[in-house]
Amino acid sequence: MNVISINAGLPRNVEWRGQIVQTSIFKEPVAGTVKVRRLNIDGDQQSDLIVHGGADKAVYVYPFEHYAFWRQELPSLGFPLGAFGENFTTTGLDEESVHIGDRFQIGSAECVVTQPRMPCYKLTIRFNRPDMIKRFLQSGRTGFYLAVTREGEVTAGDAMTRIASDPDSIAVADVVSLYASDAGNQDLLRRVSALAFLPESWRDYFRKRL
């Protein structure tokens, strides 16, 4: 389990549907060692702080293994590393094997998994495809967010070492499934609603579906 690319980007203005929209989804790989802080990584900045950023979404992780799927599905888009706006492109991890509350040491930083990434219209802007939000969610290839529990430094190539995991926790993939299509699974709804590391907004959403 490794970080193979660290990606960052600052807000930029783009034209979308006749309007100017500010977005930070355009990220590119950066060289050298990067400081991982409580709210983001150095050189990176979120644009819309209402729905992006914050301590529970400090670092966005996307598995490199998913790139093969997208390059086959949409070969004309190319998909360079960082294409999904992720801060860390990784190998050896996916939504099935990563659970809410899993703790990782990455370089000298420590982080905890908090939630899946839910797509917004910025994906439509990034790929210039009106169907991208639907494709992204239906694929289940959402990636996940980390909260930073100890600030530190990370370099591309560093290992991601799982240092703690709750055996009763829920895989990121199950949270995505519950959100997208599995509303009738009341037992899973109860379990997810009680996850300590899942942000309160998510837990409240699932409680309302019980």
Side-chain angles (χ1 to χ4, degrees):
M1 300 183 291
N2 296 85
V3 176
I4 64 168
S5 182
I6 301 173
N7 315 294
L10 297 175
R12 67 170 71 174
N13 292 328
V14 299
E15 186 175 349
W16 183 69
R17 294 184 178 178
Q19 296 183 337
I20 300 299
V21 176
Q22 189 178 76
T23 177
S24 300
I25 198 169
F26 294 91
K27 301 189 189 301
E28 297 181 352
V30 297
T33 298
V34 176
K35 183 76 173 181
V36 178
R37 303 186 187 275
R38 297 285 179 182
L39 296 180
N40 49 33
I41 67 173
D42 279 3
D44 193 65
Q45 183 179 328
Q46 298 88 3
S47 293
D48 184 354
L49 295 180
I50 295 176
V51 294
H52 300 119
D56 291 327
K57 295 181 179 180
V59 178
Y60 176 42
V61 176
Y62 201 73
F64 175 69
E65 289 83 354
H66 294 344
Y67 273 78
F69 168 83
W70 291 112
R71 287 167 178 166
Q72 183 175 4
E73 285 283 301
L74 303 168
S76 64
L77 297 182
F79 295 100
L81 296 182
F84 292 91
E86 76 268 21
N87 300 117
F88 292 167
T89 313
T90 63
T91 59
L93 297 167
D94 62 21
E95 294 80 5
E96 296 282 351
S97 62
V98 173
H99 295 69
I100 304 299
D102 281 358
R103 292 183 177 273
F104 289 91
Q105 179 166 341
I106 313 167
S108 61
E110 290 185 8
C111 302
V112 60
V113 178
T114 59
Q115 61 193 294
R117 188 258 189 91
M118 289 292 102
C120 72
Y121 74 97
K122 300 295 178 66
L123 277 179
T124 301
I125 294 174
R126 173 65 179 84
F127 297 108
N128 195 28
R129 290 190 63 97
D131 63 344
M132 197 61 194
I133 294 175
K134 182 178 180 180
R135 281 178 175 270
F136 186 82
L137 190 57
Q138 288 183 341
S139 76
R141 295 167 171 85
T142 63
F144 51 90
Y145 285 104
L146 303 175
V148 177
T149 54
R150 186 179 73 191
E151 294 185 348
E153 295 182 335
V154 177
T155 305
D158 281 349
M160 291 186 64
T161 303
R162 195 175 341 229
I163 57 176
S165 183
D166 182 352
D168 296 322
S169 193
I170 310 294
V172 171
D174 290 334
V175 178
V176 174
S177 177
L178 194 64
Y179 177 87
S181 60
D182 200 14
N185 191 332
Q186 291 290 297
D187 178 62
L188 187 57
L189 277 172
R190 277 188 285 272
R191 292 175 61 203
V192 171
S193 298
L195 290 175
F197 287 102
L198 192 69
E200 181 62 29
S201 59
W202 277 84
R203 285 183 282 157
D204 185 57
Y205 172 80
F206 288 125
R207 287 190 199 107
K208 291 177 179 177
R209 296 170 64 179
L210 282 169

